[in-house]
Amino acid sequence: MNAATLDLTRARLIPARHGVAARLDAGTTVTIVNTHGKQVVDTWAFNASDSSEFMSMEHSRAAMLRLIPRVGDTLTTNRRRAILTFVADTTPGIHDTLIAACDIHRYRQLGAAGHHDNCTQNLASALEAVGVSAAVTPPPLNLFMNVPVTDGGELSFQAPVSEAGQYVTMRAEMDLIIVFSACPQDMVPVNDMKPTDAHFVIA
């Protein structure tokens, strides 16, 4: 799929600050569109018949031997089986596999008072909406997230470098449930301080 053939008339909404789950059959593709350009999309995938098997960033890094997946790379599960393969990426290729999903504890540390939307709750709510539960919150694939690693091993949170309309396409390597959260982080510049909608297309 390329920019010329991407049919956004079939796109499904990932509402700003919220999560969505969908079922994918093996061999189908899903395209995640950064509609407004600076939105991080936390992404999880679970074996459709057993949610205790899920896409694992630590296992994927060991399989890929790199921190950021590229076109042709396959992400793997906690049982070291292929689950999603990158087949297209029109962004500059900056994504993150290191940072945990935001949660209530993270926002409290940052000084938030009361409830703050977060990706951990978005995952649970999205799975519940399709009749599934997960015992843990796996570390997500943070699409479009910009966390540079210095030569000295230091990290920092920076605004995404993706532009409006750029996208990533992945192919399902097993029947799976995919979950997206349009990250609500607005206390560090992860989303350029302005959480927005994103979209996805299943083909």
Side-chain angles (χ1 to χ4, degrees):
M1 186 177 293
N2 56 46
T5 61
L6 182 58
D7 182 4
L8 289 179
T9 63
R10 297 184 295 111
R12 293 177 57 181
L13 177 67
I14 310 170
R17 310 176 73 90
H18 295 283
V20 176
R23 294 181 182 271
L24 297 182
D25 295 331
T28 59
T29 63
V30 60
T31 298
I32 304 91
V33 184
N34 203 327
T35 312
H36 303 285
K38 302 299 179 187
Q39 178 61 45
V40 170
V41 179
D42 287 40
T43 302
W44 297 267
F46 298 82
N47 181 328
S49 60
D50 180 2
S51 63
S52 70
E53 182 175 19
F54 49 81
M55 182 170 66
S56 165
M57 292 302 96
E58 54 265 45
H59 294 81
S60 294
R61 290 192 297 268
M64 298 183 299
L65 296 179
R66 61 174 120 251
L67 291 177
I68 300 175
R70 301 175 186 170
V71 171
D73 285 342
T74 296
L75 298 152
T76 59
T77 72
N78 56 318
R79 296 176 190 165
R80 301 188 189 273
R81 298 201 300 156
I83 188 165
L84 284 168
T85 297
F86 262 53
V87 297
D89 187 355
T90 68
T91 77
I94 302 301
H95 310 285
D96 170 71
T97 66
L98 297 174
I99 303 301
C102 59
D103 53 33
I104 57 173
H105 312 291
R106 171 66 168 155
Y107 288 111
R108 286 173 183 164
Q109 288 178 345
L110 291 172
H115 173 76
H116 192 292
D117 295 327
N118 63 83
C119 289
T120 296
Q121 290 183 346
N122 287 349
L123 168 65
S125 297
L127 285 174
E128 182 180 7
V130 295
V132 176
S133 63
V136 299
T137 300
L141 168 62
N142 294 308
L143 292 172
F144 316 115
M145 190 171 182
N146 183 14
V147 182
V149 182
T150 69
D151 290 341
E154 296 176 343
L155 306 176
S156 62
F157 294 103
Q158 304 295 329
V161 298
S162 49
E163 299 296 335
Q166 292 182 335
Y167 61 83
V168 168
T169 301
M170 297 184 288
R171 181 180 65 243
E173 302 297 346
M174 64 172 69
D175 293 348
L176 60 85
I177 297 168
I178 197 162
V179 184
F180 304 115
S181 173
C183 182
Q185 177 60 263
D186 54 8
M187 302 183 76
V188 298
V190 165
N191 300 303
D192 203 23
M193 306 301 288
K194 300 181 292 290
T196 57
D197 297 337
H199 290 81
F200 68 100
V201 180
I202 296 174

